[in-house]
Amino acid sequence: MRVVILEDSQQVSLRAAEIICRTVNERPATVLGLATGGTPLGTYRELVARFTRGEVSFAKTTTFNLDEYVGLKRSHLQSYHTFMHTHLFGLADFSVERCHLPSGDCDDLAAECERYEQAIDEAGGIDLQLLGIGADGHIAFNEPGSSLASRTRIKALAARTRQDNARYFGSVDEVPPMAITMGVGTILDAEHVLLLATGGNKAAAVRAFVEGPLTSQVPASALQMHPHVTVLLDPPAAEWLVRKDYYQHVEAIQVKLESPAS
Ligand code: PGA
């Protein structure tokens, strides 16, 4: 796991956008896994800025989002379909038919879960998966206790997650109780995982998934089993890491090795 502690949350967004753009520029038909929430917003703003400056094109890129609320229409203001259209897809040259989100608004949710897994497979799998992390250690909507081998399925949201997401709805009661989400196993299949965490409310979850034991009680800890994970943190999110100095030392060496002059 490459743990990178950056100067502030803006640098986290810039670095994430740089990694995504490098991937897309090297391979325009990249399959990106995308996330919603407050954390990736700065990254999406930077992707749009780079597209607007002509530095990147997403015309050939395929995307799969992590999750969607069950029971919300696509057009609902708080659906993840609306979020992605508002903050990214509608502001750059993404081709709508290649931008996938699971549908939380259908009669047969079990069939939808299977269809989503198949669609990822048929696209050749996810090359680069962008992730946030919940304060309880969840990734996507894989709440504590999720099987670390899970695939796309319906999950009940934990009380804390509903509370955290209440800021987007009028009240906690309006946050849907269930979501359709990629599983931990689905996420682990991505070739490269890029996890972003910013703010002091993520410090405990970051400490738990980076340095704690591998456990379904902290679903993000499953990333310890993945061969290619990059974790971008701002100082408040990194605050509780015991081996912070070591990660910074390793990163300084890594940057030297990667610099063209080396
Ligand atoms: P946030 O959510 O980016 O809004 O903090 C992250 C998550 O719950 O995965």
Side-chain angles (χ1 to χ4, degrees), residues 67-138:
D67 43 23
E68 177 59 284
Y69 290 112
V70 167
L72 291 194
K73 297 234 168 299
R74 277 162 192 251
S75 57
H76 189 286
L77 209 55
Q78 297 308 336
S79 79
Y80 288 163
H81 282 79
T82 301
F83 178 103
M84 292 307 298
H85 183 76
T86 306
H87 296 292
L88 188 62
F89 299 152
L91 306 177
D93 63 343
F94 286 89
S95 144
V96 179
E97 68 274 13
R98 277 198 289 275
C99 294
H100 306 272
L101 286 97
S103 170
D105 177 36
C106 58
D107 293 336
D108 190 344
L109 287 165
E112 174 61 5
C113 293
E114 247 177 68
R115 185 198 67 78
Y116 203 63
E117 285 281 333
Q118 259 172 28
I120 295 171
D121 258 9
E122 280 161 20
I126 292 170
D127 296 308
L128 176 62
Q129 176 67 58
L130 184 64
L131 280 185
I133 182 169
D136 61 2
H138 71 225

Side-chain angles (χ1 to χ4, degrees), residues 16 19-20 23-24 29-36 40 43-44 47 58 61-67 84 88-89 94 98-102 116 120 123 125-132 140 182 186-196:
I19 292 170
I20 293 168
T23 305
V24 171
T30 291
V31 180
L32 292 177
L34 296 175
T36 52
T43 303
Y44 293 158
L47 292 182
F58 301 100
T61 305
T62 296
T63 70
F64 286 93
N65 263 75
L66 289 167
D67 43 23
M84 292 307 298
L88 188 62
F89 299 152
F94 286 89
R98 277 198 289 275
C99 294
H100 306 272
L101 286 97
Y116 203 63
I120 295 171
I126 292 170
D127 296 308
L128 176 62
Q129 176 67 58
L130 184 64
L131 280 185
M182 279 188 203
T186 320
I187 293 168
L188 290 176
D189 282 349
E191 195 178 303
H192 181 191
V193 175
L194 178 60
L195 186 146
L196 318 182

Side-chain angles (χ1 to χ4, degrees), residues 1-261:
M1 212 183 266
R2 182 168 176 177
V3 179
V4 188
I5 304 166
L6 294 156
E7 207 176 306
D8 54 26
S9 61
Q10 202 196 344
Q11 292 304 315
V12 170
S13 300
L14 292 179
R15 182 69 67 89
E18 191 181 303
I19 292 170
I20 293 168
C21 289
R22 199 190 312 138
T23 305
V24 171
N25 282 334
E26 276 171 15
R27 205 170 356 153
T30 291
V31 180
L32 292 177
L34 296 175
T36 52
T39 311
L41 277 179
T43 303
Y44 293 158
R45 268 195 296 275
E46 183 59 21
L47 292 182
V48 171
R50 286 176 188 228
F51 161 73
T52 307
R53 295 198 298 264
E55 294 168 14
V56 66
S57 166
F58 301 100
K60 296 196 167 121
T61 305
T62 296
T63 70
F64 286 93
N65 263 75
L66 289 167
D67 43 23
E68 177 59 284
Y69 290 112
V70 167
L72 291 194
K73 297 234 168 299
R74 277 162 192 251
S75 57
H76 189 286
L77 209 55
Q78 297 308 336
S79 79
Y80 288 163
H81 282 79
T82 301
F83 178 103
M84 292 307 298
H85 183 76
T86 306
H87 296 292
L88 188 62
F89 299 152
L91 306 177
D93 63 343
F94 286 89
S95 144
V96 179
E97 68 274 13
R98 277 198 289 275
C99 294
H100 306 272
L101 286 97
S103 170
D105 177 36
C106 58
D107 293 336
D108 190 344
L109 287 165
E112 174 61 5
C113 293
E114 247 177 68
R115 185 198 67 78
Y116 203 63
E117 285 281 333
Q118 259 172 28
I120 295 171
D121 258 9
E122 280 161 20
I126 292 170
D127 296 308
L128 176 62
Q129 176 67 58
L130 184 64
L131 280 185
I133 182 169
D136 61 2
H138 71 225
I139 44 175
F141 275 122
N142 295 287
E143 299 287 20
S146 290
S147 157
L148 301 185
S150 49
R151 311 302 305 185
T152 301
R153 69 213 184 293
I154 305 302
K155 281 297 285 185
L157 272 54
R160 183 168 186 186
T161 302
R162 292 185 77 207
Q163 195 65 55
D164 285 348
N165 290 2
R167 65 190 193 276
Y168 299 113
F169 292 80
S171 70
V172 71
D173 294 332
E174 286 170 61
V175 180
M178 291 192 298
I180 177 167
T181 178
M182 279 188 203
V184 179
T186 320
I187 293 168
L188 290 176
D189 282 349
E191 195 178 303
H192 181 191
V193 175
L194 178 60
L195 186 146
L196 318 182
T198 56
N201 66 325
K202 301 293 171 68
V206 167
R207 158 99 171 101
F209 98 86
V210 175
E211 296 180 338
L214 173 64
T215 168
S216 67
Q217 294 309 305
V218 182
S221 68
L223 298 174
Q224 293 176 16
M225 299 293 289
H226 192 286
H228 191 186
V229 177
T230 306
V231 180
L232 304 182
L233 305 172
D234 70 354
E239 188 60 32
W240 290 17
L241 288 172
V242 171
R243 288 157 61 76
K244 198 172 8 173
D245 291 349
Y246 178 68
Y247 308 134
Q248 283 170 325
H249 171 66
V250 170
E251 186 57 21
I253 293 174
Q254 191 74 28
V255 167
K256 252 194 212 162
L257 288 175
E258 288 171 3
S259 79

